[in-house]
Amino acid sequence: MDRLAPRIGRLIGRSIGRSIGRSIDWIQPPLCLGCRRTSHRGIDRFNLCPACRGGLRALTGPRCPGCLAPLADPAALDGRPCAACRRRPPACDRLFAGWLYAPPLREVVHGLKFHRLDYLAAALGGDLARRFAPVLDDCGAVVPVPLHWARALARGYNQAELVARELADPAARPLVRALRRRAATRPQTGLSRPRRRANLAGAFRWRGRPLAGGAPHWLLVDDVLTTGATLESAARTLKRAGVGRVTALVVAITPHPEERGARRPPPALPWWRTPRRE
Ligand SMILES: [Zn+2]
Ligand SMILES: [Zn+2]
């Protein structure tokens, strides 16, 4: 009974919680993360209403294969990287991103990172797995960019790893936790690009035994790419350990200044309307 009691307690608690949740849904349907409104047309797996789902911005137009910067004159480059990437070639051989990091996708990523809506990883990762299936097929393993253990403990999970799992499983590729974050680096927010690089230099360490004979091509997965300093440092660590080619796939990339929209972020959610997980 000592062991059963807490289990039964949890079960009863959960079922009461679910009934209350359903009653609240019945009285007031769930909110869209994008516009914070209820929708009678339903909320999808991204926790978005149909109107907001239509507002997700995929990357369009010709872009640099190294940093995804939009190219003004693609003919002049003929598929080669932009000037900045030629001057300083990135450690990732290719970079792909699911969406631009702008509302309403930004609110979905915030939900995943800061509101414990871990089920959103399945929606985001599932969509990416379908769209980037050929990239996945070419990679031998999927590696998530790790969080420092203290941050992972506080959050309860690493959002990049949850997304990476959704990519690795359908492609039948192993998910390899090959990297470890060495120190709790200072938050990157507010730092300039060179300072971010300096802050993250040597931030990752190869975990476990060295690769015997190397690995031809791995996929590195992260949630949001801002300056690329995190991916750069992680990819360098993989290459030093013997991974031949590294392709990076991120859920979203910060838009370049010329493609930033004027959309204002939605109002903050009141505490009693935080989307609830089933
Ligand atoms: Zn909406
Ligand atoms: Zn570039």
Side-chain angles (χ1 to χ4, degrees), residues 96-122:
F96 296 98
W99 297 273
L100 287 179
Y101 190 56
L105 185 88
R106 198 179 56 190
E107 279 62 46
V108 178
V109 173
H110 275 210
L112 170 62
K113 279 175 85 163
F114 307 120
H115 298 292
R116 296 182 177 272
L117 307 178
D118 55 358
Y119 60 87
L120 291 172

Side-chain angles (χ1 to χ4, degrees), residues 46-200:
F46 282 59
N47 235 321
L48 294 176
C49 70
C52 286
R53 181 66 186 261
L56 292 182
R57 293 169 67 195
L59 281 75
T60 49
R63 284 167 191 268
C64 165
C67 66
L68 295 179
L71 299 176
D73 185 10
L77 291 167
D78 195 25
R80 285 180 303 145
C82 69
C85 287
R86 270 178 289 153
R87 230 180 1 254
R88 192 186 169 128
C92 293
D93 299 271
R94 274 311 299 269
L95 171 63
F96 296 98
W99 297 273
L100 287 179
Y101 190 56
L105 185 88
R106 198 179 56 190
E107 279 62 46
V108 178
V109 173
H110 275 210
L112 170 62
K113 279 175 85 163
F114 307 120
H115 298 292
R116 296 182 177 272
L117 307 178
D118 55 358
Y119 60 87
L120 291 172
L124 293 167
D127 196 293
L128 293 177
R130 276 190 299 280
R131 285 162 59 197
F132 295 97
V135 179
L136 274 155
D137 285 345
D138 199 45
C139 295
V142 181
V143 184
V145 169
L147 289 178
H148 184 256
W149 66 265
R151 214 168 276 178
L153 189 72
R155 193 168 293 167
Y157 53 84
N158 170 9
Q159 68 281 354
E161 187 175 320
L162 297 186
V163 173
R165 170 67 63 202
E166 301 297 326
L167 294 163
D169 286 354
R173 295 292 185 271
L175 181 111
V176 184
R177 293 184 193 89
L179 299 172
R180 182 188 305 157
R181 207 131 184 166
R182 285 172 95 171
T185 40
R186 283 196 298 150
Q188 293 283 85
T189 326
L191 295 183
S192 65
R193 189 180 282 250
R195 283 186 174 237
R196 279 182 183 230
R197 280 195 194 279
N199 189 26
L200 282 167

